[in-house]
Amino acid sequence: MRILITGGSGYIGSHTTLQLIAAGHEVVIADNFSRSKPSVLARLESLAGTPIKHHVIDLTDREETDRLFAQETFDAVIHFAGLKAVGESVAMPLEYYTNNLGSTFSLLTAMRAHGVKKLVFSSSATVYGEQAPVPMQEDFPTSATNPYGWTKVMQEQILCDVAAADPEMRIALLRYFNPVGAHHSGMIGEDPHGVPNNLMPLLAQVAVGRRDALHVYGKDYPTPDGTARRDYLHVEDLASGHVAALDELGRTEAPVSTWNLGTGTPTSVLEMVSAFAEASDREIPTVDAPRRPGDIADSYADPAKAQAELGWVAVRTVHDMCADTWRWQSQNPDGFPDA
Ligand code: WQD
């Protein structure tokens, strides 16, 4: 199929682009490079062994987005583009709602005008909110405690309502747990814009010497070692989940399908610190710090639905996640080149 990937030069979008091409799909990337660098594209083309068409557009601009659909023909869309930093969203709610919802409105309007019916949406386990029991299941209620999380809850609702109005739509809501790791080549990986929020890029920056120590946010959680646990998922497994979901949209009769993409296994902060120290053979100094507001003790998936309906299972281990992250970070200490 010919697939539009919004945000295709981003962390998850870039890894998914490679797997879609490897699976025989033709890919077109739309990205405004607000949170990624154009240099990613050259890396992708080198790894894919083929040129990759891309458009630099503002997806919140309806005319621009419609022009893209008039110029190109798409069989499906994978919608990664969006702002995703929880803390930033609290400081800049209007920008988050405008960007994340606005791009989805533009995209859906253009899809409807041009008869594109398949959409894979990049959602997040954050939609389970702060009170959800574990392991989290797709039929749990959704809620949020920050504007970023609300944009995901709202986009899921918008997509469900659009599908209810046009039952020919085939929409996959993919709820990611904690994506980490990098392509095994070390040529692409997570390159956070500004100061990272997430644990794995911070661990990598400590290991490579860009930071002195990792602050452990809270050691008084009701978990075996007192630190919070998350369902870390290798980005390559996450990418293969998108290929599987896209295939299923060609078979399912359901207008909307929701799938957790996680391993189902929780890992604590201290366990991840140890795993990263072992994989990188570097000391990882830590400093105890207070809990981070909004953090929960446990978040991990029940991945049974994706396994049963997509035949998808995460296969890479925590060691793989750390080793692949380290290869990317040590080969690219400052991330992607600016030019
Ligand atoms: C993981 C654990 C921290 C940094 C976030 C978003 C979520 C999703 C994934 C987009 C937590 C601890 C972290 C540090 C630490 N993103 N930590 N010291 O918070 O589970 O989820 O990323 O969809 O929406 O909220 O991931 O990597 O920020 O934190 O101790 O310097 O590591 O407290 O327990 P989180 P994270």
Side-chain angles (χ1 to χ4, degrees), residues 12 83-87 122-127 146 148-149 152 176-180 196-203 213-218 221 227-232 267-270 273 287 289-292 294-297 299:
I12 300 159
L83 301 174
K84 54 141 264 182
V86 170
S122 168
S123 191
S124 166
T126 206
V127 304
N146 59 76
Y148 160 72
K152 291 298 185 186
Y176 309 163
F177 279 73
N178 287 62
V180 294
N197 299 295
N198 296 137
L199 178 65
M200 190 62 103
L202 286 163
L203 278 175
L214 179 89
H215 287 77
V216 176
Y217 295 147
Y221 284 102
T227 62
R229 300 192 295 180
R230 294 292 183 271
D231 186 336
Y232 297 99
T267 301
S268 77
V269 175
L270 291 180
V273 170
V287 171
R291 290 187 180 191
R292 184 171 62 177
D295 275 356
I296 56 180
S299 165

Side-chain angles (χ1 to χ4, degrees), residues 92-161:
M92 302 163 60
L94 188 52
E95 287 74 11
Y96 268 68
Y97 286 115
T98 302
N99 184 76
N100 291 4
L101 301 188
S103 59
T104 299
F105 294 144
S106 293
L107 200 56
L108 289 168
T109 304
M111 287 176 70
R112 183 176 61 184
H114 297 272
V116 181
K117 300 286 186 181
K118 292 188 182 73
L119 173 70
V120 175
F121 176 64
S122 168
S123 191
S124 166
T126 206
V127 304
Y128 290 116
E130 289 190 353
Q131 309 299 331
V134 283
M136 292 150 173
Q137 294 172 355
E138 289 86 349
D139 61 357
F140 282 11
T142 58
S143 70
T145 55
N146 59 76
Y148 160 72
W150 279 119
T151 67
K152 291 298 185 186
V153 172
M154 292 172 181
Q155 289 177 92
E156 287 198 0
Q157 185 59 55
I158 291 160
L159 292 168
C160 289
D161 291 341

Side-chain angles (χ1 to χ4, degrees), residues 14-288:
S14 56
H15 288 81
T16 305
T17 291
L18 290 182
Q19 289 205 21
L20 288 168
I21 292 170
H25 296 290
E26 191 183 347
V27 162
V28 174
I29 287 177
D31 206 309
N32 66 359
F33 298 120
S34 68
R35 290 296 191 278
S36 59
K37 294 178 183 170
S39 56
V40 174
L41 295 171
R43 299 273 178 103
L44 284 179
E45 291 183 332
S46 165
L47 287 165
T50 178
I52 299 172
K53 201 168 187 185
H54 73 277
H55 295 264
V56 183
I57 73 165
D58 171 6
L59 286 165
T60 63
D61 182 313
R62 293 208 183 181
E63 286 68 40
E64 239 185 288
T65 306
D66 188 72
R67 267 199 303 279
L68 173 66
F69 279 73
Q71 284 170 6
E72 305 274 4
T73 52
F74 301 122
D75 301 305
V77 178
I78 303 186
H79 186 28
F80 291 105
L83 301 174
K84 54 141 264 182
V86 170
E88 185 183 56
S89 79
V90 174
M92 302 163 60
L94 188 52
E95 287 74 11
Y96 268 68
Y97 286 115
T98 302
N99 184 76
N100 291 4
L101 301 188
S103 59
T104 299
F105 294 144
S106 293
L107 200 56
L108 289 168
T109 304
M111 287 176 70
R112 183 176 61 184
H114 297 272
V116 181
K117 300 286 186 181
K118 292 188 182 73
L119 173 70
V120 175
F121 176 64
S122 168
S123 191
S124 166
T126 206
V127 304
Y128 290 116
E130 289 190 353
Q131 309 299 331
V134 283
M136 292 150 173
Q137 294 172 355
E138 289 86 349
D139 61 357
F140 282 11
T142 58
S143 70
T145 55
N146 59 76
Y148 160 72
W150 279 119
T151 67
K152 291 298 185 186
V153 172
M154 292 172 181
Q155 289 177 92
E156 287 198 0
Q157 185 59 55
I158 291 160
L159 292 168
C160 289
D161 291 341
V162 163
D166 174 5
E168 286 183 359
M169 292 294 282
R170 293 292 180 267
I171 295 175
L173 306 178
L174 300 185
R175 291 175 178 168
Y176 309 163
F177 279 73
N178 287 62
V180 294
H183 188 264
H184 57 271
S185 67
M187 284 177 62
I188 60 171
E190 187 173 11
D191 186 14
H193 176 85
V195 177
N197 299 295
N198 296 137
L199 178 65
M200 190 62 103
L202 286 163
L203 278 175
Q205 290 188 6
V206 171
V208 83
R210 278 174 64 178
R211 289 179 187 281
D212 297 336
L214 179 89
H215 287 77
V216 176
Y217 295 147
K219 284 185 153 178
D220 58 349
Y221 284 102
T223 60
D225 67 13
T227 62
R229 300 192 295 180
R230 294 292 183 271
D231 186 336
Y232 297 99
L233 172 70
H234 197 295
V235 66
E236 292 280 72
D237 283 329
L238 182 56
S240 63
H242 287 72
V243 178
L246 194 62
D247 289 347
E248 180 59 18
L249 290 188
R251 293 187 290 265
T252 184
E253 293 296 309
V256 181
S257 306
T258 304
W259 290 295
N260 284 338
L261 294 184
T263 65
T265 303
T267 301
S268 77
V269 175
L270 291 180
E271 286 169 335
M272 195 55 94
V273 170
S274 304
F276 202 94
E278 185 195 349
S280 63
D281 195 22
R282 291 287 187 284
E283 288 296 314
I284 307 284
T286 60
V287 171
D288 293 354

